[in-house]
Amino acid sequence: MLLGFLSLLWLQFSCSGDESRSQTAEATVPQKPCVLEPLPPIPDDPSWGPHRLAVLVPFRERFEELLTFVPHMHRFLSRKKIRHHIFILNQVDHHRFNRASLINVGFLESGNDTDYIAMHDVDLLPLNEELDYSFPTAGPFHVASPELHPLYHYSTYVGGILLLTKQHYQMCNGMSNRFWGWGREDDEFYRRLRAAGLQLFRPSGITSGYKTFQHLHDPAWRKRDQRRIASQKQEQFKVDRTGGLTNLKYRVESRISLSVAGAPCTVLNILLECDSNETPWCAFG
């Protein structure tokens, strides 16, 4: 609870997400305090269409990236007349980070007023206005496709930014909860999409290449937890045929509405549960 409270105080009273900075990787680490200029209010206009997007952002302690992400995404989606609500899925327990489980929680907690989701990394900002965030009627839509993502270019990659209707996500039983630490959960989810008989779609006609997105992550400043503990090395390539939404265990400690530079979002402070017999690699050390 204390971690969640301090996180919110940090968001409210500090600033390192000034969008006027250089678009280079070196500029992603804050050098000095700044003042976030508030956005003019942008209504969630029902005339924009019947669909509403839940932007699900798995999160832990990456505050400087979040201060850039929330106002950027609110502006971007509003310009495209996409009705949306941004959910910051803040993991406040003492386990290793679990991106997939946080997305599962976001799906279950996002409410009935949203009918599709964006599984969205906090460190990946869309720059090209032609990118499509509209309702993916035909099937899952991978916005950050391998042809456009600045880092990951293999054909089965579905991470970064992926749009799905809530019905399609339910058909996959969500994501596996077995992936603690960084990586591999997206590769397992690709197999779930195929097993559910869903066709994956990607952008076409985008000419900006690897400059389509700004990637905020600086590995020297914030190292990823890539350790493989105990039997995790063998388990990471297996398909989880039973786990997902149906065996997720968690508690939302608090739900708080915030405004970051005038851009609204909801922070869910989440405690994930881990069965140490099933996944002993969920613990640090």
Side-chain angles (χ1 to χ4, degrees):
M1 184 64 177
L2 178 61
L3 177 59
F5 178 73
L6 292 175
S7 300
L8 294 173
L9 284 180
W10 202 98
L11 280 172
Q12 291 285 43
F13 296 111
S14 63
C15 170
S16 56
D18 187 357
E19 289 190 318
S20 65
R21 292 176 298 170
S22 169
Q23 301 289 312
T24 64
E26 291 76 15
T28 62
V29 180
Q31 300 298 319
K32 61 181 180 179
C34 59
V35 177
L36 283 169
E37 296 184 1
L39 293 166
I42 303 173
D44 183 358
D45 193 335
S47 70
W48 291 354
H51 302 294
R52 195 161 187 254
L53 172 65
V55 183
L56 307 182
V57 187
F59 179 80
R60 178 182 262 175
E61 298 178 355
R62 294 168 72 168
F63 305 109
E64 62 278 357
E65 296 170 6
L66 186 62
L67 287 168
T68 300
F69 178 87
V70 173
H72 178 95
M73 287 307 304
H74 183 58
R75 285 191 181 105
F76 184 87
L77 294 173
S78 296
R79 284 195 302 269
K80 297 179 71 63
K81 297 185 177 182
I82 300 292
R83 301 177 65 200
H84 64 278
H85 192 109
I86 299 173
F87 292 90
I88 308 304
L89 310 171
N90 185 29
Q91 184 176 342
V92 297
D93 54 62
H94 297 292
H95 300 308
R96 299 172 72 193
F97 188 65
N98 192 321
R99 177 178 178 270
S101 290
L102 291 174
I103 292 173
N104 285 341
V105 174
F107 171 83
L108 294 173
E109 297 288 335
S110 56
N112 295 327
D113 61 339
T114 58
D115 56 354
Y116 70 118
I117 65 171
M119 301 157 54
H120 212 301
D121 286 354
V122 70
D123 60 6
L124 194 64
L125 305 181
L127 300 179
N128 192 318
E129 296 289 334
E130 296 181 4
L131 289 170
D132 188 4
Y133 276 74
S134 61
F135 188 77
T137 304
F141 187 78
H142 188 208
V143 180
S145 68
E147 295 81 11
L148 304 175
H149 194 285
L151 292 181
Y152 305 115
H153 308 145
Y154 58 95
S155 62
T156 59
Y157 175 67
V158 291
I161 309 167
L162 181 65
L163 307 181
L164 299 96
T165 70
K166 286 193 168 181
Q167 179 184 8
H168 289 159
Y169 194 77
Q170 190 83 50
M171 288 170 59
C172 297
N173 190 24
M175 302 185 78
S176 171
N177 300 304
R178 298 180 63 83
F179 291 85
W180 301 87
W182 181 80
R184 299 297 183 189
E185 75 284 341
D186 290 322
D187 297 334
E188 202 273 348
F189 190 66
Y190 175 80
R191 299 187 183 101
R192 291 182 176 230
L193 294 174
R194 297 195 61 182
L198 295 172
Q199 182 178 353
L200 183 68
F201 295 87
R202 287 181 166 132
S204 61
I206 302 294
T207 59
S208 46
Y210 297 148
K211 296 182 179 180
T212 303
F213 301 95
Q214 180 187 4
H215 191 238
L216 298 177
H217 185 80
D218 185 346
W221 172 253
R222 191 173 299 281
K223 297 183 182 300
R224 291 188 168 113
D225 176 10
Q226 296 180 284
R227 292 171 297 168
R228 296 294 179 257
I229 300 171
S231 58
Q232 187 179 12
K233 290 182 180 180
Q234 291 73 40
E235 292 284 334
Q236 65 182 339
F237 296 104
K238 293 182 180 179
V239 178
D240 181 2
R241 301 190 184 280
T242 59
L245 294 173
T246 50
N247 71 342
L248 174 68
K249 294 182 179 180
Y250 72 97
R251 178 164 60 89
V252 176
E253 192 165 61
S254 59
R255 177 189 293 256
I256 302 174
S257 297
L258 282 182
S259 178
V260 181
C265 66
T266 297
V267 177
L268 302 180
N269 289 317
I270 299 165
L271 291 161
L272 298 176
E273 294 185 19
C274 169
D275 184 341
S276 58
N277 292 320
E278 284 291 320
T279 54
W281 52 86
C282 68
F284 289 102

